[in-house]
Amino acid sequence: MKYSVSAFLALVPVLSIVAATPAEKSAEAAARQYADCFKSGRVAEAYAMLPASYQKDIVTVATSFGAKMDPEIWNEARGIVGTLADVAVAKSDLVTAMIIEKTPTASKAEVAAAVVKSATALKSLSTKLTLDMIKSGNIKKIVSLPEMSAVGAVSKLAGEADDTATVTGAKELADGSVNVSFKNAKGVVEETPFVKVEGSWVPKDMADGWKEGMTEAKKNIESMKIDAKMKQQLLSMSPMIKMGLAGAKNATTK
């Protein structure tokens, strides 16, 4: 089974570089740095490790979205997200119970703390992340917001990533790629191939799907059209959505 990019980023590798080739050493070092950045919440540093063209693509997608999005609708959406975050904090016990059902091995205390941490960060992010910030294309500033790392607190516990996995070695292949081996808590070893793009090591599945993913994102943004009628419908729905979410604060069951 291949690790997804998100699962890989959550790993906490331990490097072993005995008798390794330069490519194997650099690929393992990149894996360790990516993982350490995300474990420590240094999202901006991880972003800076991406190939220059990848960073440029992300900026293009952000600015294109910012130019297409209606400011009033964006502000209403931020309000809805903030209300949802309030519900998660108010009913953190129920949210925790739902997560525990899917990940029974997780610590209830840790999950509960992560729920509140993520929801609080999401609330703050909904006020800080303005449309003008997105339009500016200053992705470094966005990913440097402390809320960006805190929002993922729950996903680390509820996701499929194995935080106990460690790097046990790397093997350079004939095509220049490097298979990095990870060993999980159960002793199962899995390999994640890395390739070098513009001098930066990235997971091969990321590299293989990057162009297609960016093309699809740009296509979706280009086709995004909000006419006057649709805008009015969306704006009129917002109060009802917020009211429904606010009512969830009174929920007594999952």
Side-chain angles (χ1 to χ4, degrees):
M1 179 184 74
K2 294 183 178 180
Y3 279 100
S4 65
V5 174
S6 59
F8 153 71
L9 292 177
L11 298 177
V12 186
V14 174
L15 210 57
S16 175
I17 55 175
V18 179
T21 68
E24 291 166 350
K25 291 180 182 179
S26 59
E28 285 192 55
R32 177 175 57 177
Q33 188 174 357
Y34 270 124
D36 185 56
C37 284
F38 278 83
K39 177 178 174 60
S40 305
R42 305 195 308 275
V43 184
E45 186 178 327
Y47 172 75
M49 291 175 62
L50 293 175
S53 66
Y54 285 22
Q55 295 183 40
K56 184 178 179 180
D57 285 339
I58 293 173
V59 170
T60 298
V61 167
T63 54
S64 297
F65 173 81
K68 279 276 190 177
M69 174 54 63
D70 182 271
E72 289 184 78
I73 293 176
W74 176 256
N75 287 333
E76 286 298 316
R78 292 165 66 195
I80 291 172
V81 170
T83 302
L84 181 61
D86 288 338
V87 173
V89 172
K91 292 299 174 183
S92 60
D93 55 337
L94 297 182
V95 176
T96 297
M98 288 188 283
I99 294 175
I100 293 294
E101 280 187 354
K102 295 182 179 180
T103 54
T105 58
S107 163
K108 184 176 180 180
E110 287 183 348
V111 172
V115 167
V116 174
K117 181 178 180 179
S118 291
T120 302
L122 185 61
K123 174 76 173 183
S124 179
L125 190 61
S126 71
T127 63
K128 287 186 178 181
L129 190 56
T130 65
L131 192 57
D132 285 340
M133 190 182 293
I134 296 175
K135 287 181 179 179
S136 73
N138 193 344
I139 303 301
K140 290 182 180 179
K141 180 178 180 180
I142 293 174
V143 296
S144 294
L145 294 172
E147 292 85 355
M148 292 299 293
S149 59
V151 164
V154 166
S155 63
K156 287 183 180 180
L157 291 174
E160 297 180 354
D162 183 358
D163 287 341
T164 64
T166 58
V167 173
T168 58
K171 177 68 175 178
E172 184 177 6
L173 304 180
D175 61 2
S177 63
V178 174
N179 270 347
V180 178
S181 300
F182 296 92
K183 185 176 182 179
N184 65 23
K186 296 180 179 180
V188 178
V189 176
E190 299 180 355
E191 294 182 337
T192 298
F194 282 75
V195 294
K196 185 173 278 191
V197 178
E198 300 165 15
S200 300
W201 287 99
V202 296
K204 187 175 184 298
D205 57 352
M206 175 193 283
D208 289 346
W210 189 267
K211 184 176 180 180
E212 181 181 351
M214 289 297 106
T215 298
E216 185 66 20
K218 293 173 184 177
K219 180 181 177 181
N220 289 339
I221 292 172
E222 183 61 31
S223 63
M224 187 173 69
K225 296 179 181 179
I226 304 176
D227 56 26
K229 183 178 180 180
M230 179 181 291
K231 176 179 177 177
Q232 187 56 44
Q233 289 176 334
L234 292 173
L235 292 177
S236 64
M237 289 170 59
S238 180
M240 293 184 289
I241 295 174
K242 290 179 182 178
M243 187 180 298
L245 289 174
K249 291 181 181 180
N250 300 317
T252 57
T253 66
K254 291 177 287 183

